[in-house]
Amino acid sequence: MKNYYSKYNTEYPWLIKEEGWVKLLQGVRESQLALGNGFLGSRAVLEEIPYEATPGTYIAGVYDRIGSHVAELVNLPNPFNFKIGVDGERLGVITMDVVEHRRILNLRHGLLCRHTIYQDSKKKKYDYQSIRFVSMHDKNIGVMQIIFTPLDDGVEVSIETGIDTSVYNVRTVTEGRKRHFRIKEVGQFKNEGYLIVETFGKLHRAIFRSGFYYETRGKKTEAKDNIFELKLRKNQTVKFTKIFCVEAASEKEDLGSTKRSSEKKFRKAFNASFDCLLRRHIRAWEGLWNVAEVSIWGDPEVEKNFRFNIYHMLACGPKDNGASSIAARALTGEGYRGHIFWDTEIFLFPFYLYTLPDIARNMLMYRYRRLEAARARAKKNRFKGAMFPWESADSGEDETPGWAKDLDGKVIRIHTGKMEHHITANIAYAFYHYYNATQDEKFFRDYGYEILFETARFWASRVEYNKRKKKYEIKQVIGPDEFHVDVNNNAFTNMMAKWNLLTAYNMSKKLRKSNTAGYKKLVQKIGLSAREVAEWKNIAARISVNKRRGQIIEQFDGYFKKRKVKIADWDENFVPVVSEKLTPRDYGKTQLVKQADVIMLLYLLSDVFSLKTKRENYAYYVDRTIHKSSLSLPVYARMAIDVGDKNRGYRFFHTALRTDISNINNNTNEGIHAACMGGSWQVLINGFAGVKIEKGILSVNPKMPRIWRKIIFSLHWGGTLLRLEVKNNKIKIQLVSPGRKKVKIKVFGILHSLAGDKPFEFERKKPVKEREAYYL
Amino acid sequence: MKNYYSKYNTEYPWLIKEEGWVKLLQGVRESQLALGNGFLGSRAVLEEIPYEATPGTYIAGVYDRIGSHVAELVNLPNPFNFKIGVDGERLGVITMDVVEHRRILNLRHGLLCRHTIYQDSKKKKYDYQSIRFVSMHDKNIGVMQIIFTPLDDGVEVSIETGIDTSVYNVRTVTEGRKRHFRIKEVGQFKNEGYLIVETFGKLHRAIFRSGFYYETRGKKTEAKDNIFELKLRKNQTVKFTKIFCVEAASEKEDLGSTKRSSEKKFRKAFNASFDCLLRRHIRAWEGLWNVAEVSIWGDPEVEKNFRFNIYHMLACGPKDNGASSIAARALTGEGYRGHIFWDTEIFLFPFYLYTLPDIARNMLMYRYRRLEAARARAKKNRFKGAMFPWESADSGEDETPGWAKDLDGKVIRIHTGKMEHHITANIAYAFYHYYNATQDEKFFRDYGYEILFETARFWASRVEYNKRKKKYEIKQVIGPDEFHVDVNNNAFTNMMAKWNLLTAYNMSKKLRKSNTAGYKKLVQKIGLSAREVAEWKNIAARISVNKRRGQIIEQFDGYFKKRKVKIADWDENFVPVVSEKLTPRDYGKTQLVKQADVIMLLYLLSDVFSLKTKRENYAYYVDRTIHKSSLSLPVYARMAIDVGDKNRGYRFFHTALRTDISNINNNTNEGIHAACMGGSWQVLINGFAGVKIEKGILSVNPKMPRIWRKIIFSLHWGGTLLRLEVKNNKIKIQLVSPGRKKVKIKVFGILHSLAGDKPFEFERKKPVKEREAYYL
């Protein structure tokens, strides 16, 4: 049988393959091979929707709270639904024997292709091929084509391909399976079927339109109905093409006009040829890869897995100017209910900032647009300024559930929503990071300063003065390490608060100086007094952390007195295995750390701490951290590289990199771990390639693994796109679109000013010896 | 907590109880406690629709074929859907802890009541009570009431109670799970939600309307929406009342006018009070039980189980003048895809004939209305007359699937559709039976003679003349025993064909004599020649069966030569257990019989065969029959009673009686076994109570089990309702509505003519000694 879609899948280093049908991996594959374009996400459920499949169709920012504990990303009707019956048997991996089955996700072009050969109960075979995509060119459009051939006999075929409304948000222990929308309108309009659904809370509407046609023996037929029958002879091939349009309208938008615009969009796409729609989609993906591509010469396996991660980050980058941001599992599953955490600003943001700064700006806008809600939250908690929620959805209110399943499946109360306050500083950090990398003064004037000031204000009201110690303290918090609940003076939180206050202070001085009118306007708008600003500096100066032996930072007051648990066992990824005698509820009594916490601090404020401090803290905490969050390994990997723990650094990186492609945490079925992907990108770029910001200056000083020959990648810096080719001892840099300004960059420790579009080459003075480089 | 619905459940002998929540029994309970009114059937799924529940909402006669092997009863949207969330947790047996759970099906009044106490993850308790019914007074109306109270704390409650469209027809091996309808219209109209769905094949539409209101602290609120939230204080009770209307429209009916009529019906019901709707419903059920009730004094357990069976037969009796008939699993599940077999005419029909003759007439009309399809089928198979399909749905075409799961789960081809021809004679038999019991000349003139003649015609064309033997033979058939496929001269088929020919011949003579004009008209209509009629008698005289030792009837040509398998093991119900070495595919090579076949013949043509023949054949075949159909035991039970195998007779009866209440075949989850219920009724009435038709005369001669003191029941006979009180030696008979005609009846072997409404008492001349009576 001819392989119709093989022409789209010729570049091996860009293909993720599913070989054979394994029921147990169904949910994992649905996440891994998911499609998306930042607006629409679609899990890679097989078109026949097998029993126990978990279809997932999500629109960024469409949440609903009714009937569930907190707002959650709504699982919407699924347009990739195509059921074929042959003489009364259903084509499908459960209902028929699967002779052959393969799916290929083309990372470069965002295409999902499939080839399955079925055998029915009468031993007759059928060839089934499909291709589908969610258009990167036009966010509302999705396309699916199916090519079907009965191989052994003529057959009566029945087709059913409506937009499947029989979908649910996944089952949770206390809420069961639930649907978050109701059908508001259905109908047929010309050769198109349409469907309007509304979330239960009535905040969101989604409009689906779809139409399809089929071709056989050169004849094209537009189907009037999405359910019909046709007869095929042996070896007669039929090709079905389904095109759909999905549009969202919030409660504030006029449904009528959105209906009209979606009709227009649908018509335009439906009247275009499949090839044309595909071409545009591919072109859009090529545009993204032009800046986002990372080539790792010498390690095709790592390169492919790395691109898999980049693919997923490209597929979820929001383009809606702040209506949505990236959820913990992006748009590929319902883990964490589609909520947005600090993961987004700290782990994912840098990837976008350096490759697609427009998307990075949208992510910041998501927070800025919810500043009012953050102010309200601060007020409600009797604080000042803006207090961002630990888990955020559409409204900007805190959506942290009051309970959840613990690591061992037991349902427990969770306190993060009330106590995990560091996110407010993390958001300020991302804003400042953006400013630093882009020098986008306008954005900062419009949004950034306000965020910096309001978050500093929050911390100024959040701290408590300890007269005896003459220190400002932050009590009753949870740090990144969530094993230790309700602690005082968590080092990470304290230092991030201090950083927030200090940065706000410095930036306020800068603004007042450079743009006095703008400063006055803002100060007036938010009612900020000079006394308050002065106080920020004062408070910041009196926030500190406990240290032992001069260097080891105590994670929080009393941490050192907790019981030390000896780790005696590590798994194949160098991740500690804790004795089962200890239940997760006991962890808080010990020095066991869930994820990088002090190390996270050293990672984010890398400039502030000496290599010695990093080395000693790393050595201390690596023996206590059990990496029960996918955020932990990338941080440790990067720190291991910095402090020279080469072997472990590479292993940590490698495990983090494969979190989803190898389903390491055994929960990829709930969606990919977006933050870990962003974290892995940072390990490679900031760690191995050694790209760092040192006191505001871009610096490159690679420490690549021995077997890697070079890494090629692009970065946006200060409005210019740089193309870098990095070896341990040699670096090429080209300014892709040089502006008038010179670009300052430190290479191998020496500062250079680059201009023009000719490539610059740099060599290390004292070449790194091979044994110094990273190896396995 | 007050038990709000206990007042409806005071009569113990009428209550079927589910105590506690057992996940494994979920599907079984859904079938057992199902509600119905002959038009609408609803499985007793819990209102919260737990995970892996199998909601089932069926309208009699609504089938669809698209996407499945053959037409199947459509699982329609479920109006008994009520989801309650409390502070984000979902009320339900899976999502919460179940402190207490009980459901009661009130057989007398067709009510399903429930009382569950839940505990959430925070250890707070909630009291949940519900009542629901499908109105027997107005077939389109269903009502549900829910009373909810938070016991430990105030709570924010979210309600979701749309008409649930996320339903599927059950999964089959080769077809998967499938939906057979699409949503055609949805909307909100005043305080009502409505939904119109259409089957994929477009032959049927169903219109759902529903509205609800709630009452708390004496205040009634009409909900504008089926999704909303409200706040309750601790111990504050809220009562929700949901009323819905379901109407069907076939493709031929005008949807617009059905919409209007359904709106009217819904309004009327919605404006009536709950008590009023309930009262009317109860009154309708009382009316049915007035004739259908059977009291068994001395054995309350058997009495209750027997009433459970009658309940299910009352709940599915069709009232649509032949649009539908009763499926193998009635309207309680999707076993056998809702198809109609010979079960209906042979096993179920007598119950209705003697208690609700109008329903019996509807069942015959179902066949008459498909006479044209049966004629077409005969023609297609190159036969004459009418050939009824082995499995029938809406169109009257044969819907037997070409393959199915065997007893051991293996998928095999099935041939019954092509070869199981006896059904045509069985249908003729039911028509004649109706005539005999009702003397309804008009019905017979309009429909009955035509059926008798056309079926006789079929047999006249179906037989083959064997010149050597000078016999007519029927080759290549399957008898009731489906282990033996493609056999010649199956005794049951031969003799039923012979009976069909002879009865048609005799009735044609009778009609010609009594109503020459009518006869001529019919003969002309169907083009029947006098030669053909004469030939029926001639053929009938030359159809015979093989016998051995004078009495043992050979099931088919060559049966005696098959391998005898010794049965060495019986289960607790006296049912043979076959060695596992023998696979179901081997049974055909042996003398093992699936279900009563020769015994079925002796049962149906009881008049024709001597007691000696019955006794010897029973003794022979009972050792070979393994009862792999629920139709078998009732036939054997009745025969055992007739031939005096008392102990086994009672045991067979008892097992057959409990088929569904005890889930004996382990597939009650697919629906109740309607035919077995009808068969059990026949064992009790025709066997134990000894009511028989002997050469057209009603005769009573009981053979009751020793521990039964008496049986009280009613029967329609010749247009008169008789009330009988039967003991082994004493019988009371009263004509409930005596007409002018005297009723001839044989009691204890002596013929009497009864008139007037005074009770008659009869005593047996030679009392049966206690040891002669039945015992365990």
Side-chain angles (χ1 to χ4, degrees), chain A residues 152-190:
Chain A
D152 291 328
D153 207 349
V155 79
E156 170 121 359
V157 180
S158 71
I159 304 297
E160 190 207 324
T161 177
I163 288 161
D164 190 8
T165 57
S166 298
V167 297
Y168 295 94
N169 271 74
V170 291
R171 192 153 69 104
T172 67
V173 184
T174 55
E175 295 165 30
R177 206 168 62 159
K178 57 203 166 295
R179 219 163 77 156
H180 270 293
F181 62 85
R182 75 173 117 200
I183 296 161
K184 203 175 157 65
E185 258 184 77
V186 284
Q188 200 73 24
F189 178 71
K190 290 184 191 164

Side-chain angles (χ1 to χ4, degrees), chain B residues 677-695:
Chain B
M677 293 179 165
S680 307
W681 184 89
Q682 292 181 48
V683 180
L684 191 126
I685 301 298
N686 308 132
F688 293 129
V691 175
K692 293 193 173 129
I693 319 299
E694 290 174 358
K695 316 233 179 254

Side-chain angles (χ1 to χ4, degrees), chain A residues 90 95 174 176 182 225 229, chain B residues 65 90 95 174 176 182 225:
Chain A
R90 171 69 57 88
T95 49
T174 55
R182 75 173 117 200
D225 199 343
E229 293 177 297
Chain B
R65 193 190 52 75
R90 171 70 55 88
T95 48
T174 56
R182 76 173 116 199
D225 199 343

Side-chain angles (χ1 to χ4, degrees), chain B residues 125-233:
Chain B
K125 292 200 181 68
Y126 304 92
D127 188 278
Y128 177 98
Q129 302 185 32
S130 75
I131 188 170
R132 63 203 227 200
F133 60 91
V134 161
S135 175
M136 193 53 96
H137 169 76
D138 182 344
K139 66 175 181 147
N140 303 107
I141 300 298
V143 179
M144 170 164 69
Q145 198 174 73
I146 284 155
I147 298 180
F148 173 73
T149 317
L151 300 176
D152 291 329
D153 207 348
V155 79
E156 170 119 359
V157 180
S158 72
I159 303 296
E160 190 206 323
T161 177
I163 289 161
D164 189 8
T165 57
S166 299
V167 297
Y168 296 94
N169 271 75
V170 290
R171 191 154 69 105
T172 67
V173 183
T174 56
E175 295 165 30
R177 207 168 64 156
K178 57 202 166 295
R179 216 163 81 156
H180 272 292
F181 61 86
R182 76 173 116 199
I183 295 161
K184 202 176 157 67
E185 257 182 79
V186 284
Q188 199 73 23
F189 178 71
K190 289 184 193 167
N191 48 6
E192 146 206 340
Y194 76 92
L195 168 72
I196 305 180
V197 299
E198 178 177 66
T199 57
F200 284 168
K202 300 194 177 175
L203 297 177
H204 303 278
R205 278 86 50 99
I207 303 166
F208 293 79
R209 295 179 186 276
S210 85
F212 84 111
Y213 53 85
Y214 61 91
E215 293 153 283
T216 184
R217 295 195 223 163
K219 195 175 149 256
K220 178 174 163 178
T221 312
E222 282 198 9
K224 280 193 211 91
D225 199 343
N226 51 31
I227 296 146
F228 69 101
E229 295 177 294
L230 77 166
K231 277 199 170 129
L232 291 180
R233 291 189 318 204

Side-chain angles (χ1 to χ4, degrees), chain B residues 713-759:
Chain B
F713 56 96
S714 307
L715 293 179
H716 277 284
W717 179 254
T720 306
L721 183 64
L722 312 178
R723 189 164 173 75
L724 294 98
E725 214 179 296
V726 171
K727 295 180 182 181
N728 268 343
N729 296 316
K730 206 181 210 169
I731 293 173
K732 270 196 227 173
I733 302 179
Q734 188 173 9
L735 312 189
V736 177
S737 52
R740 257 166 301 170
K741 267 208 306 194
K742 288 193 171 185
V743 178
K744 274 192 200 164
I745 186 163
K746 226 155 121 187
V747 187
F748 298 130
I750 297 159
L751 191 67
H752 302 273
S753 279
L754 312 184
D757 59 0
K758 271 185 210 148

Side-chain angles (χ1 to χ4, degrees), chain A residues 299-313:
Chain A
D299 199 339
E301 195 57 29
V302 163
E303 181 185 65
K304 187 152 87 173
N305 291 340
F306 199 73
R307 283 174 178 168
F308 172 77
N309 289 0
I310 295 178
Y311 162 82
H312 275 294
M313 290 193 284

